[in-house]
Amino acid sequence: MRFIEEVVVDEFLPTFRALLAGDLRDRGLTQSEVAELLGISQSAVSKYAHGDVETNDRLAGDERVQELVARLGEGLASGDVTPVQALVETEVLIRQLERGDVLARLHEETFPALAEYEGDFAVHDADSEVRTAERVLASVRRGVRTLENTSGFAGLIPAVGSNLVETLPDAAGIEDVAGVPGRILDVKGRATVPGDPEFGVSEHVATVLLAARAGGSDARAALNIRYDDEIATRFAEAGLTTAEFDADAAVETAVADAVTDDVDVVFQSGGFGIEPAAYLLGSDAGVVADRIRELL
């Protein structure tokens, strides 16, 4: 695993310092003066000046880097720019180049694992698709761990199994919903999770969650459990708002019609060949898992 900060240290800083040291020397400053301004040793300045430090051609040829070097070189040489001001302006440029720009691309090239994410994205943008997807997967993993460590949860798993799912913020279909592949099963009284969360592996619970969102719920996570009178009582005692939908109707329509923005649980009491089930809704997978813990 390689972090973008390593790219900054290994690629940007040597290149930028070499360019700036060279600019200052061209303006007539001595090695000692350059070393003091840049906060480095005279021997380092000498290495930069003689090309003994490896630099990155893509960064060195970037017009924004060249423009900043020239501006800071002039300002530092004249005294109009202090080392602190130079540091601040350089930090601003680094942050800019990290956000879907040249430093981001250099990072992606040196970390092949990022190649599995297709499409146009900026991993270094806090709102990028990659970070958003990874946050959702991490949320489901945390929720699943909570369920695994919740005594009595296995007894709530229906015969068809449970699944804990969470959507991307702008989910359009089940491929935008992360869940447990193969579902969570009750194996000899223990909740058994077959694998790490993935996107697009839950059809039924994901469909219920998406239908609830289409009906006005702002929930982004859901978990299905068995449903009976005892569990209905627990919902009431916990102060959860419930809504029933028709098990014999199309799930998308039935759930959307039953849900309002304040519903915490949607359920169906069963039908011919249909097992009764309840679906807890929440803002994320952790919230849903915590609700199960509170019910038990």
Side-chain angles (χ1 to χ4, degrees), residues 19-43:
L19 293 174
L20 187 53
D23 184 274
L24 290 169
R25 289 287 284 148
D26 289 343
R27 295 179 189 276
L29 275 69
T30 66
Q31 281 191 185
S32 175
E33 290 171 331
V34 173
E36 183 176 357
L37 285 172
L38 300 187
I40 58 179
S41 66
Q42 290 190 48
S43 61

Side-chain angles (χ1 to χ4, degrees), residues 1 3 66 79 112 120 134 162 168 172 184 199-200 204 206 215 227 232-233 254:
M1 183 164 55
F3 297 98
Q66 295 175 348
D120 184 18
E134 288 299 324
S162 291
L168 293 171
I184 306 168
F199 281 94
H204 182 66
Y227 181 77
T233 299

Side-chain angles (χ1 to χ4, degrees), residues 1-295:
M1 183 164 55
R2 182 172 168 85
F3 297 98
I4 193 169
E5 288 79 9
E6 296 176 79
V7 177
V8 173
V9 171
D10 296 341
E11 303 288 344
F12 180 86
L13 291 182
T15 301
F16 189 77
R17 281 174 171 162
L19 293 174
L20 187 53
D23 184 274
L24 290 169
R25 289 287 284 148
D26 289 343
R27 295 179 189 276
L29 275 69
T30 66
Q31 281 191 185
S32 175
E33 290 171 331
V34 173
E36 183 176 357
L37 285 172
L38 300 187
I40 58 179
S41 66
Q42 290 190 48
S43 61
V45 174
S46 177
K47 289 180 180 179
Y48 287 134
H50 290 90
D52 296 334
V53 175
E54 185 174 352
T55 59
N56 184 290
D57 291 340
R58 286 162 66 181
L59 290 169
D62 190 286
E63 292 183 359
R64 294 159 298 181
V65 173
Q66 295 175 348
E67 188 277 331
L68 182 60
V69 165
R71 182 155 49 85
L72 294 184
E74 180 181 3
L76 288 169
S78 65
D80 292 336
V81 173
T82 69
V84 171
Q85 290 173 314
L87 175 63
V88 170
E89 292 204 36
T90 305
E91 285 278 3
V92 170
L93 178 61
I94 291 173
R95 299 290 86 80
Q96 177 184 348
L97 299 182
E98 285 179 340
R99 292 192 295 271
D101 213 307
V102 60
L103 285 176
R105 291 192 291 273
L106 288 172
H107 182 212
E108 290 157 12
E109 290 169 10
T110 60
F111 188 23
L114 291 174
E116 68 184 75
Y117 294 95
E118 299 178 355
D120 184 18
F121 65 86
V123 67
H124 310 98
D125 178 357
D127 296 320
S128 72
E129 293 179 12
V130 175
R131 284 194 172 183
T132 300
E134 288 299 324
R135 282 196 293 266
V136 169
L137 291 171
S139 177
V140 176
R141 280 193 291 269
R142 288 192 297 270
V144 167
R145 284 197 298 270
T146 297
L147 295 176
E148 288 180 298
N149 295 318
T150 298
S151 177
F153 168 63
L156 295 180
I157 298 175
V160 296
S162 291
N163 211 330
L164 178 64
V165 304
E166 183 173 328
T167 73
L168 293 171
D170 299 317
I174 61 175
E175 69 279 0
D176 298 323
V177 183
V180 176
R183 296 195 177 186
I184 306 168
L185 300 174
D186 176 5
V187 179
K188 297 181 178 180
R190 291 184 60 87
T192 303
V193 181
D196 285 336
E198 300 175 24
F199 281 94
V201 296
S202 170
E203 182 172 352
H204 182 66
V205 182
T207 298
V208 170
L209 176 57
L210 292 171
R213 288 169 59 82
S217 173
D218 60 0
R220 285 187 48 197
L223 170 73
N224 67 310
I225 61 173
R226 65 179 178 82
Y227 181 77
D228 54 31
D229 291 341
E230 178 190 355
I231 292 172
T233 299
R234 294 187 193 182
F235 289 155
E237 292 174 346
L240 299 179
T241 302
T242 62
E244 183 175 8
F245 66 94
D246 185 356
D248 294 320
V251 171
E252 294 90 336
T253 303
V255 173
D257 289 344
V259 167
T260 58
D261 59 4
D262 62 343
V263 168
D264 303 306
V265 180
V266 289
F267 71 93
Q268 50 86 3
S269 53
F272 182 73
I274 301 175
E275 183 181 14
Y279 303 81
L280 277 75
L281 307 175
S283 58
D284 60 49
V287 168
V288 173
D290 287 340
R291 282 183 173 171
I292 287 293
R293 176 174 286 176
E294 293 166 2
L295 290 172

